PDB file of all heavy atoms in Angstrom:
ATOM      1  N   ARG A 320     106.261 118.482 139.931  1.00  0.00           N
ATOM      2  CA  ARG A 320     105.711 119.628 139.226  1.00  0.00           C
ATOM      3  C   ARG A 320     104.728 119.190 138.139  1.00  0.00           C
ATOM      4  O   ARG A 320     103.710 119.864 137.883  1.00  0.00           O
ATOM      5  CB  ARG A 320     106.843 120.434 138.584  1.00  0.00           C
ATOM      6  CG  ARG A 320     107.599 121.303 139.577  1.00  0.00           C
ATOM      7  CD  ARG A 320     108.404 122.373 138.873  1.00  0.00           C
ATOM      8  NE  ARG A 320     109.374 121.793 137.943  1.00  0.00           N
ATOM      9  CZ  ARG A 320     110.630 121.490 138.327  1.00  0.00           C
ATOM     10  NH1 ARG A 320     111.038 121.707 139.559  1.00  0.00           N
ATOM     11  NH2 ARG A 320     111.445 120.972 137.444  1.00  0.00           N
ATOM     12  N   ARG A 321     105.025 118.057 137.496  1.00  0.00           N
ATOM     13  CA  ARG A 321     104.198 117.613 136.365  1.00  0.00           C
ATOM     14  C   ARG A 321     102.935 116.888 136.883  1.00  0.00           C
ATOM     15  O   ARG A 321     101.848 117.051 136.299  1.00  0.00           O
ATOM     16  CB  ARG A 321     104.997 116.707 135.450  1.00  0.00           C
ATOM     17  CG  ARG A 321     104.231 116.258 134.239  1.00  0.00           C
ATOM     18  CD  ARG A 321     105.134 115.591 133.250  1.00  0.00           C
ATOM     19  NE  ARG A 321     104.401 115.199 132.045  1.00  0.00           N
ATOM     20  CZ  ARG A 321     104.944 114.648 130.980  1.00  0.00           C
ATOM     21  NH1 ARG A 321     106.253 114.405 130.953  1.00  0.00           N
ATOM     22  NH2 ARG A 321     104.202 114.334 129.936  1.00  0.00           N
ATOM     23  N   TYR A 322     103.101 116.025 137.874  1.00  0.00           N
ATOM     24  CA  TYR A 322     101.992 115.187 138.330  1.00  0.00           C
ATOM     25  C   TYR A 322     101.362 115.613 139.662  1.00  0.00           C
ATOM     26  O   TYR A 322     100.394 115.015 140.113  1.00  0.00           O
ATOM     27  CB  TYR A 322     102.450 113.732 138.448  1.00  0.00           C
ATOM     28  CG  TYR A 322     102.947 113.152 137.149  1.00  0.00           C
ATOM     29  CD1 TYR A 322     104.318 113.004 136.879  1.00  0.00           C
ATOM     30  CD2 TYR A 322     102.060 112.783 136.120  1.00  0.00           C
ATOM     31  CE1 TYR A 322     104.757 112.488 135.686  1.00  0.00           C
ATOM     32  CE2 TYR A 322     102.518 112.248 134.915  1.00  0.00           C
ATOM     33  CZ  TYR A 322     103.862 112.129 134.708  1.00  0.00           C
ATOM     34  OH  TYR A 322     104.315 111.599 133.516  1.00  0.00           O
ATOM     35  N   GLY A 323     101.871 116.654 140.253  1.00  0.00           N
ATOM     36  CA  GLY A 323     101.334 117.103 141.553  1.00  0.00           C
ATOM     37  C   GLY A 323     101.955 116.351 142.722  1.00  0.00           C
ATOM     38  O   GLY A 323     102.903 115.567 142.573  1.00  0.00           O
ATOM     39  N   GLU A 324     101.444 116.646 143.919  1.00  0.00           N
ATOM     40  CA  GLU A 324     101.935 116.003 145.124  1.00  0.00           C
ATOM     41  C   GLU A 324     101.747 114.496 145.065  1.00  0.00           C
ATOM     42  O   GLU A 324     100.677 114.015 144.704  1.00  0.00           O
ATOM     43  CB  GLU A 324     101.234 116.578 146.367  1.00  0.00           C
ATOM     44  CG  GLU A 324     101.809 116.106 147.676  1.00  0.00           C
ATOM     45  CD  GLU A 324     103.224 116.623 147.884  1.00  0.00           C
ATOM     46  OE1 GLU A 324     103.525 117.710 147.371  1.00  0.00           O
ATOM     47  OE2 GLU A 324     104.004 115.941 148.589  1.00  0.00           O
ATOM     48  N   GLN A 325     102.747 113.720 145.402  1.00  0.00           N
ATOM     49  CA  GLN A 325     102.710 112.280 145.272  1.00  0.00           C
ATOM     50  C   GLN A 325     102.793 111.613 146.655  1.00  0.00           C
ATOM     51  O   GLN A 325     103.612 112.013 147.483  1.00  0.00           O
ATOM     52  CB  GLN A 325     103.852 111.773 144.414  1.00  0.00           C
ATOM     53  CG  GLN A 325     103.915 112.416 143.005  1.00  0.00           C
ATOM     54  CD  GLN A 325     102.932 111.748 142.095  1.00  0.00           C
ATOM     55  OE1 GLN A 325     102.947 110.558 141.905  1.00  0.00           O
ATOM     56  NE2 GLN A 325     102.067 112.546 141.489  1.00  0.00           N
ATOM     57  N   PHE A 326     101.961 110.597 146.843  1.00  0.00           N
ATOM     58  CA  PHE A 326     102.168 109.728 148.001  1.00  0.00           C
ATOM     59  C   PHE A 326     103.384 108.862 147.706  1.00  0.00           C
ATOM     60  O   PHE A 326     103.742 108.663 146.551  1.00  0.00           O
ATOM     61  CB  PHE A 326     100.927 108.869 148.236  1.00  0.00           C
ATOM     62  CG  PHE A 326      99.726 109.662 148.700  1.00  0.00           C
ATOM     63  CD1 PHE A 326      98.679 109.832 147.833  1.00  0.00           C
ATOM     64  CD2 PHE A 326      99.667 110.215 149.970  1.00  0.00           C
ATOM     65  CE1 PHE A 326      97.563 110.593 148.223  1.00  0.00           C
ATOM     66  CE2 PHE A 326      98.579 110.949 150.352  1.00  0.00           C
ATOM     67  CZ  PHE A 326      97.529 111.146 149.491  1.00  0.00           C
ATOM     68  N   GLU A 327     103.992 108.314 148.762  1.00  0.00           N
ATOM     69  CA  GLU A 327     105.217 107.582 148.604  1.00  0.00           C
ATOM     70  C   GLU A 327     105.044 106.373 147.662  1.00  0.00           C
ATOM     71  O   GLU A 327     105.846 106.124 146.792  1.00  0.00           O
ATOM     72  CB  GLU A 327     105.745 107.103 149.970  1.00  0.00           C
ATOM     73  CG  GLU A 327     106.278 108.200 150.831  1.00  0.00           C
ATOM     74  CD  GLU A 327     107.436 108.955 150.190  1.00  0.00           C
ATOM     75  OE1 GLU A 327     108.239 108.290 149.506  1.00  0.00           O
ATOM     76  OE2 GLU A 327     107.535 110.172 150.353  1.00  0.00           O
ATOM     77  N   GLU A 328     103.926 105.611 147.863  1.00  0.00           N
ATOM     78  CA  GLU A 328     103.671 104.429 147.032  1.00  0.00           C
ATOM     79  C   GLU A 328     103.470 104.856 145.571  1.00  0.00           C
ATOM     80  O   GLU A 328     103.991 104.264 144.648  1.00  0.00           O
ATOM     81  CB  GLU A 328     102.463 103.647 147.519  1.00  0.00           C
ATOM     82  CG  GLU A 328     102.638 103.081 148.939  1.00  0.00           C
ATOM     83  CD  GLU A 328     102.287 104.103 150.001  1.00  0.00           C
ATOM     84  OE1 GLU A 328     102.000 105.255 149.624  1.00  0.00           O
ATOM     85  OE2 GLU A 328     102.328 103.737 151.204  1.00  0.00           O
ATOM     86  N   ARG A 329     102.648 105.895 145.397  1.00  0.00           N
ATOM     87  CA  ARG A 329     102.344 106.371 144.036  1.00  0.00           C
ATOM     88  C   ARG A 329     103.576 106.977 143.401  1.00  0.00           C
ATOM     89  O   ARG A 329     103.804 106.827 142.182  1.00  0.00           O
ATOM     90  CB  ARG A 329     101.216 107.382 144.081  1.00  0.00           C
ATOM     91  CG  ARG A 329     100.756 107.824 142.696  1.00  0.00           C
ATOM     92  CD  ARG A 329      99.575 108.754 142.806  1.00  0.00           C
ATOM     93  NE  ARG A 329      99.173 109.211 141.475  1.00  0.00           N
ATOM     94  CZ  ARG A 329      98.210 110.111 141.274  1.00  0.00           C
ATOM     95  NH1 ARG A 329      97.538 110.615 142.283  1.00  0.00           N
ATOM     96  NH2 ARG A 329      97.900 110.472 140.049  1.00  0.00           N
ATOM     97  N   LYS A 330     104.390 107.679 144.210  1.00  0.00           N
ATOM     98  CA  LYS A 330     105.580 108.278 143.659  1.00  0.00           C
ATOM     99  C   LYS A 330     106.553 107.226 143.163  1.00  0.00           C
ATOM    100  O   LYS A 330     107.130 107.364 142.079  1.00  0.00           O
ATOM    101  CB  LYS A 330     106.273 109.120 144.768  1.00  0.00           C
ATOM    102  CG  LYS A 330     107.497 109.875 144.255  1.00  0.00           C
ATOM    103  CD  LYS A 330     108.172 110.620 145.387  1.00  0.00           C
ATOM    104  CE  LYS A 330     107.286 111.718 145.965  1.00  0.00           C
ATOM    105  NZ  LYS A 330     107.996 112.504 146.997  1.00  0.00           N
ATOM    106  N   ALA A 331     106.674 106.144 143.908  1.00  0.00           N
ATOM    107  CA  ALA A 331     107.574 105.074 143.481  1.00  0.00           C
ATOM    108  C   ALA A 331     107.091 104.453 142.167  1.00  0.00           C
ATOM    109  O   ALA A 331     107.858 104.149 141.263  1.00  0.00           O
ATOM    110  CB  ALA A 331     107.676 104.011 144.589  1.00  0.00           C
ATOM    111  N   ARG A 332     105.762 104.235 142.078  1.00  0.00           N
ATOM    112  CA  ARG A 332     105.192 103.641 140.857  1.00  0.00           C
ATOM    113  C   ARG A 332     105.345 104.583 139.664  1.00  0.00           C
ATOM    114  O   ARG A 332     105.686 104.148 138.561  1.00  0.00           O
ATOM    115  CB  ARG A 332     103.708 103.311 141.091  1.00  0.00           C
ATOM    116  CG  ARG A 332     103.075 102.595 139.908  1.00  0.00           C
ATOM    117  CD  ARG A 332     101.661 102.186 140.209  1.00  0.00           C
ATOM    118  NE  ARG A 332     100.826 103.383 140.442  1.00  0.00           N
ATOM    119  CZ  ARG A 332      99.538 103.332 140.788  1.00  0.00           C
ATOM    120  NH1 ARG A 332      98.925 102.165 140.961  1.00  0.00           N
ATOM    121  NH2 ARG A 332      98.840 104.442 140.999  1.00  0.00           N
ATOM    122  N   THR A 333     105.127 105.888 139.908  1.00  0.00           N
ATOM    123  CA  THR A 333     105.282 106.855 138.822  1.00  0.00           C
ATOM    124  C   THR A 333     106.727 106.897 138.319  1.00  0.00           C
ATOM    125  O   THR A 333     106.983 106.930 137.095  1.00  0.00           O
ATOM    126  CB  THR A 333     104.888 108.235 139.284  1.00  0.00           C
ATOM    127  OG1 THR A 333     103.520 108.218 139.726  1.00  0.00           O
ATOM    128  CG2 THR A 333     105.028 109.268 138.181  1.00  0.00           C
ATOM    129  N   MET A 334     107.680 106.829 139.273  1.00  0.00           N
ATOM    130  CA  MET A 334     109.069 106.878 138.846  1.00  0.00           C
ATOM    131  C   MET A 334     109.438 105.601 138.065  1.00  0.00           C
ATOM    132  O   MET A 334     110.239 105.657 137.125  1.00  0.00           O
ATOM    133  CB  MET A 334     109.954 106.990 140.092  1.00  0.00           C
ATOM    134  CG  MET A 334     109.842 108.326 140.798  1.00  0.00           C
ATOM    135  SD  MET A 334     110.188 109.737 139.696  1.00  0.00           S
ATOM    136  CE  MET A 334     111.884 109.438 139.264  1.00  0.00           C
ATOM    137  N   ARG A 335     108.866 104.453 138.473  1.00  0.00           N
ATOM    138  CA  ARG A 335     109.120 103.222 137.732  1.00  0.00           C
ATOM    139  C   ARG A 335     108.601 103.326 136.308  1.00  0.00           C
ATOM    140  O   ARG A 335     109.246 102.916 135.356  1.00  0.00           O
ATOM    141  CB  ARG A 335     108.498 102.010 138.437  1.00  0.00           C
ATOM    142  CG  ARG A 335     109.241 101.526 139.673  1.00  0.00           C
ATOM    143  CD  ARG A 335     108.809 100.115 140.046  1.00  0.00           C
ATOM    144  NE  ARG A 335     107.382 100.026 140.278  1.00  0.00           N
ATOM    145  CZ  ARG A 335     106.776 100.258 141.422  1.00  0.00           C
ATOM    146  NH1 ARG A 335     107.516 100.609 142.497  1.00  0.00           N
ATOM    147  NH2 ARG A 335     105.464 100.130 141.557  1.00  0.00           N
ATOM    148  N   GLN A 336     107.377 103.878 136.159  1.00  0.00           N
ATOM    149  CA  GLN A 336     106.795 104.026 134.842  1.00  0.00           C
ATOM    150  C   GLN A 336     107.605 104.964 133.964  1.00  0.00           C
ATOM    151  O   GLN A 336     107.825 104.697 132.784  1.00  0.00           O
ATOM    152  CB  GLN A 336     105.353 104.535 134.960  1.00  0.00           C
ATOM    153  CG  GLN A 336     104.382 103.529 135.586  1.00  0.00           C
ATOM    154  CD  GLN A 336     103.010 104.128 135.805  1.00  0.00           C
ATOM    155  OE1 GLN A 336     102.822 105.340 135.850  1.00  0.00           O
ATOM    156  NE2 GLN A 336     102.011 103.264 135.990  1.00  0.00           N
ATOM    157  N   LEU A 337     108.065 106.090 134.532  1.00  0.00           N
ATOM    158  CA  LEU A 337     108.891 107.032 133.793  1.00  0.00           C
ATOM    159  C   LEU A 337     110.209 106.398 133.382  1.00  0.00           C
ATOM    160  O   LEU A 337     110.685 106.580 132.259  1.00  0.00           O
ATOM    161  CB  LEU A 337     109.134 108.293 134.602  1.00  0.00           C
ATOM    162  CG  LEU A 337     107.913 109.208 134.862  1.00  0.00           C
ATOM    163  CD1 LEU A 337     108.283 110.325 135.789  1.00  0.00           C
ATOM    164  CD2 LEU A 337     107.401 109.774 133.530  1.00  0.00           C
ATOM    165  N   THR A 338     110.806 105.629 134.283  1.00  0.00           N
ATOM    166  CA  THR A 338     112.073 104.980 133.993  1.00  0.00           C
ATOM    167  C   THR A 338     111.924 103.949 132.894  1.00  0.00           C
ATOM    168  O   THR A 338     112.735 103.866 131.968  1.00  0.00           O
ATOM    169  CB  THR A 338     112.614 104.301 135.270  1.00  0.00           C
ATOM    170  OG1 THR A 338     112.776 105.267 136.294  1.00  0.00           O
ATOM    171  CG2 THR A 338     113.972 103.630 134.993  1.00  0.00           C
ATOM    172  N   GLU A 339     110.836 103.171 132.959  1.00  0.00           N
ATOM    173  CA  GLU A 339     110.579 102.144 131.927  1.00  0.00           C
ATOM    174  C   GLU A 339     110.332 102.811 130.588  1.00  0.00           C
ATOM    175  O   GLU A 339     110.802 102.306 129.544  1.00  0.00           O
ATOM    176  CB  GLU A 339     109.390 101.287 132.337  1.00  0.00           C
ATOM    177  CG  GLU A 339     109.690 100.371 133.529  1.00  0.00           C
ATOM    178  CD  GLU A 339     108.460  99.629 133.993  1.00  0.00           C
ATOM    179  OE1 GLU A 339     107.366  99.858 133.402  1.00  0.00           O
ATOM    180  OE2 GLU A 339     108.562  98.839 134.950  1.00  0.00           O
ATOM    181  N   ALA A 340     109.567 103.918 130.563  1.00  0.00           N
ATOM    182  CA  ALA A 340     109.264 104.617 129.298  1.00  0.00           C
ATOM    183  C   ALA A 340     110.560 105.171 128.675  1.00  0.00           C
ATOM    184  O   ALA A 340     110.761 105.076 127.458  1.00  0.00           O
ATOM    185  CB  ALA A 340     108.270 105.734 129.529  1.00  0.00           C
ATOM    186  N   LEU A 341     111.416 105.761 129.522  1.00  0.00           N
ATOM    187  CA  LEU A 341     112.701 106.280 129.043  1.00  0.00           C
ATOM    188  C   LEU A 341     113.584 105.178 128.530  1.00  0.00           C
ATOM    189  O   LEU A 341     114.235 105.318 127.476  1.00  0.00           O
ATOM    190  CB  LEU A 341     113.400 107.047 130.177  1.00  0.00           C
ATOM    191  CG  LEU A 341     114.730 107.686 129.804  1.00  0.00           C
ATOM    192  CD1 LEU A 341     114.544 108.717 128.704  1.00  0.00           C
ATOM    193  CD2 LEU A 341     115.343 108.401 131.044  1.00  0.00           C
ATOM    194  N   LYS A 342     113.637 104.048 129.240  1.00  0.00           N
ATOM    195  CA  LYS A 342     114.433 102.929 128.841  1.00  0.00           C
ATOM    196  C   LYS A 342     113.955 102.390 127.482  1.00  0.00           C
ATOM    197  O   LYS A 342     114.756 102.079 126.614  1.00  0.00           O
ATOM    198  CB  LYS A 342     114.382 101.820 129.895  1.00  0.00           C
ATOM    199  CG  LYS A 342     115.225 100.618 129.580  1.00  0.00           C
ATOM    200  CD  LYS A 342     115.103  99.562 130.685  1.00  0.00           C
ATOM    201  CE  LYS A 342     115.936  98.319 130.319  1.00  0.00           C
ATOM    202  NZ  LYS A 342     115.797  97.286 131.369  1.00  0.00           N
ATOM    203  N   GLN A 343     112.626 102.284 127.335  1.00  0.00           N
ATOM    204  CA  GLN A 343     112.052 101.805 126.082  1.00  0.00           C
ATOM    205  C   GLN A 343     112.403 102.730 124.902  1.00  0.00           C
ATOM    206  O   GLN A 343     112.726 102.278 123.812  1.00  0.00           O
ATOM    207  CB  GLN A 343     110.538 101.680 126.196  1.00  0.00           C
ATOM    208  CG  GLN A 343     109.851 101.089 124.974  1.00  0.00           C
ATOM    209  CD  GLN A 343     110.259  99.629 124.723  1.00  0.00           C
ATOM    210  OE1 GLN A 343     110.340  98.853 125.661  1.00  0.00           O
ATOM    211  NE2 GLN A 343     110.502  99.321 123.485  1.00  0.00           N
ATOM    212  N   LYS A 344     112.348 104.046 125.167  1.00  0.00           N
ATOM    213  CA  LYS A 344     112.702 105.028 124.114  1.00  0.00           C
ATOM    214  C   LYS A 344     114.137 104.866 123.695  1.00  0.00           C
ATOM    215  O   LYS A 344     114.475 104.913 122.496  1.00  0.00           O
ATOM    216  CB  LYS A 344     112.429 106.447 124.596  1.00  0.00           C
ATOM    217  CG  LYS A 344     112.726 107.504 123.558  1.00  0.00           C
ATOM    218  CD  LYS A 344     112.493 108.894 124.080  1.00  0.00           C
ATOM    219  CE  LYS A 344     112.778 109.923 122.980  1.00  0.00           C
ATOM    220  NZ  LYS A 344     114.130 109.820 122.450  1.00  0.00           N
ATOM    221  N   VAL A 345     115.041 104.696 124.664  1.00  0.00           N
ATOM    222  CA  VAL A 345     116.471 104.529 124.358  1.00  0.00           C
ATOM    223  C   VAL A 345     116.681 103.273 123.548  1.00  0.00           C
ATOM    224  O   VAL A 345     117.439 103.268 122.549  1.00  0.00           O
ATOM    225  CB  VAL A 345     117.308 104.491 125.648  1.00  0.00           C
ATOM    226  CG1 VAL A 345     118.749 104.127 125.349  1.00  0.00           C
ATOM    227  CG2 VAL A 345     117.242 105.862 126.352  1.00  0.00           C
TER     228      VAL A 345
END
Side-chain angles (χ1 to χ4, degrees):
R320 283 197 300 270
R321 183 169 183 178
Y322 299 103
E324 187 66 29
Q325 303 281 306
F326 292 108
E327 290 300 324
E328 297 84 356
R329 185 177 178 184
K330 183 183 296 184
R332 185 176 62 183
T333 301
M334 292 304 298
R335 283 198 304 272
Q336 292 175 341
L337 291 173
T338 302
E339 290 174 359
L341 181 60
K342 182 180 178 182
Q343 184 64 43
K344 181 182 181 303
V345 172

